[in-house]
Amino acid sequence: MDAHVSPSRVAGRTRAPPSKSYTHRAVLAAGYSDEAVVRDALVSADTKATMRAVEAFGGSVDRDGQTVEVAGFGGRPGTPDDVVNCENSGTTMRLVTGCAALGDGLTVLTGDASLRSRPHGPLLDAVFDLDGRAESTRRNGQAPLVVGDGMTGGTIEIPGDVSSQFITALLMAGAVTEEGIDIELTTELKSSPYVDITLELLADFGVEASRTDAGFSVPGGQSYAPEGGAYSVPGDFSSISYLLAAGAVAGAEGEDVVIEGARPSAQGDSAIVDIVRDMGARVDWDEGAGELTVSAADLTGTTVDVGDTPDLLPTIAVLGAIADGDTVIENCEHVRFKETDRVSAMAEELAEMGANVTEQQDRLTIHGGETDLVGAAVDGRGDHRIVMSLAVAGLVAEGETTIAGSEHVDVSFPNFFEAMRDLGAEMTER
């Protein structure tokens, strides 16, 4: 399906979807428990993959709107009757690998072509070192994976610059092992706030885990049990970034865009608030009410290190294409290993729209002062974040922008186009 975006102005009130990162972790944590309710959950293509995995391990999942009731497997996953298909969800694949390693039998994990190209080698090595079995069927560190044989815990070394999701998987599984798991990082941890999310959520489920001088530690023999039997998911700042950017670049004159659901949490992507402010937009954040208010402004370029906030790269790149001067996105090599190579994808697709962009292995520079965006036919690359960021660019490009693969927003923000239309954006899908 294609999205067709025409130049338009936005104003009004909208609500951010629940956090995808928190929902994944909460649903799996509920699976590790005896039973738990996850409220305000994001129900999307990716989080449904995690729900199916919990069911494959012997739990049950009942959904009523955004309320997910889980009867868990009490920390001991069963052996699935069939292959577990994680579809396009890298978070599901990584987190479920840790869970599958606890099983006495073997679990086969796979996904779509994009997911089968993503790296898992360091996590597989860690499971093996913890007395579990973890293999890539193609022996290249990529899915399909075969995992199981009752991982017992211990101490492992693992690089921190490939994926923070490896750390999350081991912390979540380590809590129910016999020995617990001590994680020693061999390289600097990238995307560190995502591990902070994990630590925050584990605490909310009654699980002790902590940072150490060497990395992280989680004692074994613990149980998952949220206070009162329920957990509520906060709003998603990765998704908020597109709404905030739309208001900053295409806000109607004299009017605001108000974004509800912006409750403070451990999400690193809340950095988008300060980034948009630094570029010149007026952004007010009522943290108590969980509301962001933004109005359009003339933006200027900035320099942003996305080592801890990789999902913000597409949004920042679009802001840079509209701003005056250069916007430099640094420390972004790890962003090449997402649903697609997001560094090259944004460089190439913005160039199709007339942007002047310089791409390096670990840096993306958008020369906004030398850019006049024009409508074009662009490819969303099967990546929800590429689609949504290009849609924001289309709001201010001259002429119509057509984005291939608009259906992929279902991964994290299923009602994205509806929310944008409610704000006044001229966007259609067909």
Side-chain angles (χ1 to χ4, degrees), residues 148-329:
D149 275 2
M151 178 176 72
T152 57
T155 300
I156 53 97
E157 294 183 344
I158 191 169
D161 59 351
V162 180
S163 175
S164 65
Q165 292 168 353
F166 300 162
I167 312 303
T168 289
L170 293 169
L171 289 174
M172 293 191 74
V176 297
T177 60
E178 296 174 9
E179 303 174 29
I181 296 177
D182 292 315
I183 301 170
E184 298 178 359
L185 299 176
T186 59
T187 61
E188 181 183 0
L189 178 63
K190 295 287 181 74
S191 304
S192 177
Y194 286 97
V195 182
D196 292 335
I197 287 173
T198 302
L199 294 174
E200 180 187 283
L201 181 134
L202 287 175
D204 287 339
F205 272 79
V207 172
E208 175 190 348
S210 60
R211 289 181 179 267
T212 65
D213 291 341
F216 297 89
S217 178
V218 58
Q222 301 190 69
S223 300
Y224 282 77
E227 185 176 353
Y231 175 84
S232 295
V233 176
D236 190 290
F237 271 90
S238 304
S239 297
I240 284 171
S241 75
Y242 312 111
L243 303 171
L244 198 60
V249 303
E253 185 175 355
E255 299 189 62
D256 297 327
V257 170
V258 180
I259 306 163
E260 301 172 356
R263 179 162 56 89
S265 67
Q267 295 175 74
D269 283 354
S270 62
I272 191 62
V273 176
D274 286 334
I275 292 168
V276 174
R277 283 173 176 161
D278 289 345
M279 297 182 79
R282 181 181 65 80
V283 182
D284 295 323
W285 188 2
D286 184 336
E287 296 186 3
E291 290 187 355
L292 285 163
T293 302
V294 58
S295 55
D298 293 329
L299 304 182
T300 56
T302 189
T303 298
V304 182
D305 184 321
V306 295
D308 285 338
T309 55
D311 287 345
L312 292 183
L313 182 142
T315 311
I316 299 167
V318 166
L319 290 168
I322 299 164
D324 186 31
D326 286 356
T327 292
V328 182
I329 304 174

Side-chain angles (χ1 to χ4, degrees), residues 29-392:
Y32 278 123
S33 76
D34 291 331
E35 59 180 5
V37 176
V38 180
R39 298 194 176 111
D40 303 321
L42 176 72
V43 180
S44 70
D46 272 20
T47 60
K48 287 177 184 176
T50 297
M51 294 175 198
R52 289 193 297 271
V54 167
E55 291 177 323
F57 290 130
S60 68
V61 177
D62 291 319
R63 287 193 290 113
D64 182 7
Q66 293 181 302
T67 299
V68 182
E69 296 184 2
V70 180
F73 42 81
R76 306 316 305 176
T79 302
D81 293 333
D82 200 352
V83 170
V84 177
N85 188 346
C86 301
E87 301 291 349
N88 186 241
S89 178
T91 306
T92 302
M93 175 71 78
R94 272 78 178 264
L95 271 57
V96 167
T97 294
C99 186
L102 299 167
D104 293 331
L106 298 176
T107 298
V108 179
L109 302 170
T110 192
D112 67 9
S114 172
L115 187 53
R116 295 196 307 274
S117 70
R118 296 175 69 176
H120 304 281
L123 179 56
L124 303 181
D125 292 342
V127 170
F128 179 81
D129 291 341
L130 294 166
D131 292 329
R133 176 179 173 183
E135 301 176 32
S136 161
T137 61
R138 294 178 288 165
R139 303 189 186 281
N140 62 357
Q142 298 171 355
L145 309 179
V146 178
V147 188
D149 275 2
M151 178 176 72
T152 57
T155 300
I156 53 97
E157 294 183 344
I158 191 169
D161 59 351
V162 180
S163 175
S164 65
Q165 292 168 353
F166 300 162
I167 312 303
T168 289
L170 293 169
L171 289 174
M172 293 191 74
V176 297
T177 60
E178 296 174 9
E179 303 174 29
I181 296 177
D182 292 315
I183 301 170
E184 298 178 359
L185 299 176
T186 59
T187 61
E188 181 183 0
L189 178 63
K190 295 287 181 74
S191 304
S192 177
Y194 286 97
V195 182
D196 292 335
I197 287 173
T198 302
L199 294 174
E200 180 187 283
L201 181 134
L202 287 175
D204 287 339
F205 272 79
V207 172
E208 175 190 348
S210 60
R211 289 181 179 267
T212 65
D213 291 341
F216 297 89
S217 178
V218 58
Q222 301 190 69
S223 300
Y224 282 77
E227 185 176 353
Y231 175 84
S232 295
V233 176
D236 190 290
F237 271 90
S238 304
S239 297
I240 284 171
S241 75
Y242 312 111
L243 303 171
L244 198 60
V249 303
E253 185 175 355
E255 299 189 62
D256 297 327
V257 170
V258 180
I259 306 163
E260 301 172 356
R263 179 162 56 89
S265 67
Q267 295 175 74
D269 283 354
S270 62
I272 191 62
V273 176
D274 286 334
I275 292 168
V276 174
R277 283 173 176 161
D278 289 345
M279 297 182 79
R282 181 181 65 80
V283 182
D284 295 323
W285 188 2
D286 184 336
E287 296 186 3
E291 290 187 355
L292 285 163
T293 302
V294 58
S295 55
D298 293 329
L299 304 182
T300 56
T302 189
T303 298
V304 182
D305 184 321
V306 295
D308 285 338
T309 55
D311 287 345
L312 292 183
L313 182 142
T315 311
I316 299 167
V318 166
L319 290 168
I322 299 164
D324 186 31
D326 286 356
T327 292
V328 182
I329 304 174
E330 298 179 327
N331 198 12
C332 63
E333 184 173 9
H334 60 309
V335 191
R336 296 184 181 277
F337 304 105
K338 296 292 184 175
E339 283 85 337
T340 188
D341 179 341
R342 288 178 177 160
V343 181
S344 288
M346 290 309 298
E348 293 167 6
E349 300 307 327
L350 284 176
E352 287 290 326
M353 298 181 71
N356 189 329
V357 182
T358 300
E359 178 188 352
Q360 297 167 281
Q361 186 64 22
D362 200 24
R363 176 179 298 206
L364 187 65
T365 303
I366 302 93
H367 307 286
E370 303 169 26
T371 293
D372 291 309
L373 290 180
V374 295
V378 291
D379 188 350
R381 309 289 183 104
D383 187 321
H384 54 128
R385 304 209 183 280
I386 304 298
V387 172
M388 289 185 280
S389 60
L390 292 174
V392 173

